[in-house]
Amino acid sequence: MSDAESPNPSDPLRESGDDSLLFAARLHAEIVADAERRRREDPQLARIEREFERAWAHVAPPGAAGSQEELLLDRVDRLSLVDVDVPIGSKPGIRHVKGVIRKATYWYLRYMSDQLNALHNVQARLLRRMDDRLRRIEAAVGLDQPVAELVAPAPAPSGLVGALLAELIEPNSLESRPVVVGSCGSGAAVGALEASGHRVFGVDADSVAVLAGIDEGLDLRVADPEALISGAEAGSIGALLIGGELQRRTVSGVIQLANAATAAVGPAGVVVVVPESLAGRDAVDAELLVGRSVSAGVWARVLEAADASTEVRVVDGIDVVVARVT
Amino acid sequence: MSRRPVVHQFTAVLADRDALGHHTLLVDDILREMGVDSSVYAAHVNPEVRTRGRDFRLHADDPAPDLIIYQASTGTPVADYVLTRPEPIVVNYHNMTPASFFDAWEPAISAELDHGRRQLARLAKKASHGIADSDYNARELREVGYENVSVSPVLFAPLWLERDRQPNRDASGSGSTADLVVDSVAPSPARAVTLLFVGRLSPNKCQQDLVGVLAGVRALGVDARLVLVGGVSSAGFVSAVESVALELGVSDSLVLAGSVSESELVGWYESADVFVSVSEHEGFCVPVVEAMGFGLPVVAFGSSAVAETLAGAGVVLAEKSVSVVASAVVRVLSDSVVREGLVARGRRRAEELGGVASSARIREVLQPLLNGASGT
């Protein structure tokens, strides 16, 4: 194609201006006008535009090429034996045939829809039955995870408990050691401790529960809190708050955790435990969680056995164990 | 003696054939030049760059950094991990394709992209700073809550400058290894004009419209072929593009080059006559800059950040009907004055975006963040 075919001899580039945006705008206007002229004068170009739209609508999945409803109707039109738009009322015989085909098509599509609905219903029912069976089997063999899913989660330590721990920490006693909140949930206790000026972070195994606190800018980390406490170097944690799912364990687990906690905070360190209210459990939770969680009194005795002096305080109606490592 | 600041970059995938991977590695290089102890972590590290990155799952065991830079481009567990870190976080945003483009083609990718945008919004609460490739991307960051946002173009190796440095090139610029590679892969029919687009075969890039443009250009009397270079995001989409080409009778003139090596890519740029983009969503569009660098005139639909990247150095169209885009292509091919003007402007623009200015800009953005993180 030669330069002589250029649609506009007064091209902006032939002017000396160096304003790229102005040049681009003028060139665009010329191209659009040229396209409009070609579209009018060249039936082949207009045909290709139509063919392209039709071809794309034909191969693209519903919803990918514009309005889904229009495309679906377009598809039905292409596949149907009878053109719904062609008026044939003046020809009684054909009208009768068209009416029969329309009713037969409606009946067939309705039949197919009902069959599909019935199939989906059966699938859903079978899935539910299979899920129930698996859940019963898992409960019967005592797997922990299904039980955890069946019971209400233990509440994370509240802001009031966080404030209590903040009061108990001697000023300047922590040096650079952090305060750790185990099973922190959305971080209410972490927020209270942070507001008191302490360097604190929370740990929780539930990556979803911590998101709200992270959004508020709290230092909440996703990890197994028990592993963090057990793996901590002796005396590396300034003070420790145990609550939520972390306190929900068997007696042997409680003893192990108490020993690890007192070691992690070291001499003169503070451990606060917020045991779940056993009396507050409903009958189903009580059965499912049998043997898990111990009362404040049991926690106190176990912590004393781990070389701590303890007292039980009531915070917001809940018995809270305060232990100072001797 | 003061300690060197430590910066850890996080990204979903570290690969050498993608713009984000290049950018991440170039930022890594620049940080090292700035005296930073820099490392890269990713969910997937491709084998060819395995010495440059570590699995992010190992990060918790490594010494903590002073600053984290998260390269955000999609939904990934990496972002969830970054959210749990206590260190200051900088989000370098490269845009995420709106999920709606993938709804009908690849629902799994669609869900991933939706997730990515939710993660981006959550990171806004924790990130101290956002870096965007373009003003377009910066606007999106501010819309989801980022307060401190700087614009710094994506970094990439200017292939056209590398090409110019190759030995044994004649004055016309031909005779490179890349020419030989492309000629052997897909020789151009005699006198056929080559329309080129580089980018993944993906619904948001709308390669099907380019097939329509190819048919339109041929209807206007130009013997043309269309070359699509890039990997595949959706196999169904590629199949549909091929079907449209078949229905329009231009399948013989369509070349799907796939994901290519750097030398092959150079060859395609050098053998093309015009770069055409009708993409509906680009956060920056590196290939447009590369095309300008190689002296190709660019015709593009002015969606998202494309017009900003071109800045008047290409033909930016407000609509992308077959007749308008085909007319633009024919005009550029047939009018040597327009073509030479676009090429000259394009080279200048490519120099601005692909040269030292972009490296200087990212240094300028990073320096105060490093000072703040290391407390100096």
Side-chain angles (χ1 to χ4, degrees), chain B residues 322-347:
Chain B
V322 167
S323 54
V324 166
V325 184
S327 294
V329 169
V330 171
R331 174 73 184 273
V332 167
L333 292 171
S334 63
D335 187 332
S336 61
V337 178
V338 166
R339 187 171 62 248
E340 285 161 17
L342 290 172
V343 168
R345 284 175 166 84
R347 285 194 191 279

Side-chain angles (χ1 to χ4, degrees), chain A residues 23-91:
Chain A
F23 155 69
R26 293 181 63 177
L27 182 58
H28 178 264
E30 288 177 14
I31 288 168
V32 171
D34 184 38
E36 192 53 43
R37 179 184 60 79
R38 288 182 196 273
R39 201 184 274 139
R40 279 197 313 272
E41 296 175 359
D42 187 345
Q44 198 186 354
L45 193 60
R47 181 184 59 75
I48 285 173
E49 281 195 332
R50 285 197 306 276
E51 272 189 23
F52 169 69
E53 296 294 337
R54 182 197 55 75
W56 184 242
H58 183 65
V59 297
S67 160
Q68 188 164 349
E69 292 75 21
E70 290 303 315
L71 271 171
L72 285 171
L73 287 173
D74 183 47
R75 239 165 226 224
V76 171
D77 273 357
R78 280 200 308 275
L79 295 172
S80 65
L81 298 172
V82 180
D83 189 330
V84 293
D85 295 328
V86 177
I88 51 171
S90 59
K91 299 175 181 174

Side-chain angles (χ1 to χ4, degrees), chain A residues 1-8 10-14 17-21 23-24 27-28 30-32 34-36 38-39 42 44-45 48-49 51-56 58-64 210-211 214-222, chain B residues 80 83-86 104-105 121-122 125-126 208-209 211-212 215-217 219-222 237 240-241 243-244 247-248 311-319 321-324 326-328 330-331 333-342 345 348:
Chain A
M1 193 175 283
S2 72
D3 287 358
E5 289 182 45
S6 175
N8 185 355
S10 62
D11 187 273
L13 268 180
R14 294 191 172 90
D18 196 29
D19 185 333
S20 291
L21 294 175
F23 155 69
L27 182 58
H28 178 264
E30 288 177 14
I31 288 168
V32 171
D34 184 38
E36 192 53 43
R38 288 182 196 273
R39 201 184 274 139
D42 187 345
Q44 198 186 354
L45 193 60
I48 285 173
E49 281 195 332
E51 272 189 23
F52 169 69
E53 296 294 337
R54 182 197 55 75
W56 184 242
H58 183 65
V59 297
V210 299
L211 288 179
I214 289 172
D215 282 352
E216 291 170 13
L218 298 175
D219 185 354
L220 307 184
R221 305 175 190 182
V222 178
Chain B
D80 290 329
L83 272 164
T84 66
R85 296 295 306 182
W105 298 97
R122 282 207 291 273
K125 305 272 174 49
K126 204 162 179 187
Q208 80 279 7
D209 290 335
V211 173
V217 168
L220 292 174
V222 178
F237 177 74
V241 169
S243 298
V244 165
E247 292 215 21
L248 294 182
V315 179
V316 179
L317 301 170
E319 62 166 296
S321 64
V322 167
S323 54
V324 166
S327 294
V330 171
R331 174 73 184 273
L333 292 171
S334 63
D335 187 332
S336 61
V337 178
V338 166
R339 187 171 62 248
E340 285 161 17
L342 290 172
R345 284 175 166 84
R348 285 201 294 275

Side-chain angles (χ1 to χ4, degrees), chain B residues 74-330:
Chain B
T74 187
T76 166
V78 174
D80 290 329
Y81 174 73
V82 168
L83 272 164
T84 66
R85 296 295 306 182
E87 296 86 6
I89 298 169
V90 173
V91 173
N92 193 174
Y93 181 49
H94 306 278
N95 214 292
M96 294 179 196
T97 306
S100 55
F101 282 109
F102 284 91
D103 282 345
W105 298 97
E106 303 289 338
I109 296 178
S110 171
E112 193 175 73
L113 290 165
D114 252 346
H115 182 52
R117 284 189 179 262
R118 285 195 294 274
Q119 288 177 325
L120 188 71
R122 282 207 291 273
L123 278 163
K125 305 272 174 49
K126 204 162 179 187
S128 59
H129 203 95
I131 303 174
D133 297 333
S134 58
D135 285 333
Y136 176 80
N137 290 357
R139 278 196 297 279
E140 286 198 357
L141 280 184
R142 291 190 185 101
E143 279 169 13
V144 296
Y146 288 77
E147 290 176 358
N148 304 312
V149 180
S150 305
V151 175
S152 178
V154 66
L155 301 176
F156 56 95
L159 294 176
W160 63 93
L161 296 182
E162 300 292 326
R163 181 273 315 260
D164 291 344
R165 281 196 281 270
Q166 277 184 18
N168 305 323
R169 294 187 65 83
D170 62 28
S172 69
S174 64
S176 69
T177 311
D179 295 332
L180 301 176
V181 169
V182 170
D183 281 346
S184 66
V185 172
S188 173
R191 298 197 324 275
V193 160
T194 297
L195 318 184
L196 175 68
F197 177 73
V198 178
R200 294 187 70 77
L201 280 127
S202 169
N204 61 301
K205 295 187 188 287
C206 302
Q207 282 93 343
Q208 80 279 7
D209 290 335
L210 289 175
V211 173
V213 170
L214 171 65
V217 168
R218 291 175 68 88
L220 292 174
V222 178
D223 183 11
R225 66 171 178 164
L226 171 65
V227 177
L228 301 177
V229 175
V232 173
S233 287
S234 164
F237 177 74
V238 176
S239 171
V241 169
E242 287 178 310
S243 298
V244 165
L246 198 63
E247 292 215 21
L248 294 182
V250 293
S251 56
D252 290 345
S253 305
L254 173 64
V255 179
L256 298 178
S259 177
V260 299
S261 67
E262 199 167 274
S263 60
E264 286 172 305
L265 180 61
V266 169
W268 285 121
Y269 278 125
E270 290 187 329
S271 65
D273 296 282
V274 58
F275 186 92
V276 191
S277 166
V278 287
S279 173
E280 290 184 4
H281 187 268
E282 298 289 343
F284 182 84
C285 203
V286 170
V288 156
V289 185
E290 289 178 338
M292 291 190 290
F294 277 97
L296 281 179
V298 175
V299 172
F301 174 52
S303 70
S304 46
V306 173
E308 182 187 339
T309 301
L310 280 168
V315 179
V316 179
L317 301 170
E319 62 166 296
K320 57 169 185 166
S321 64
V322 167
S323 54
V324 166
V325 184
S327 294
V329 169
V330 171

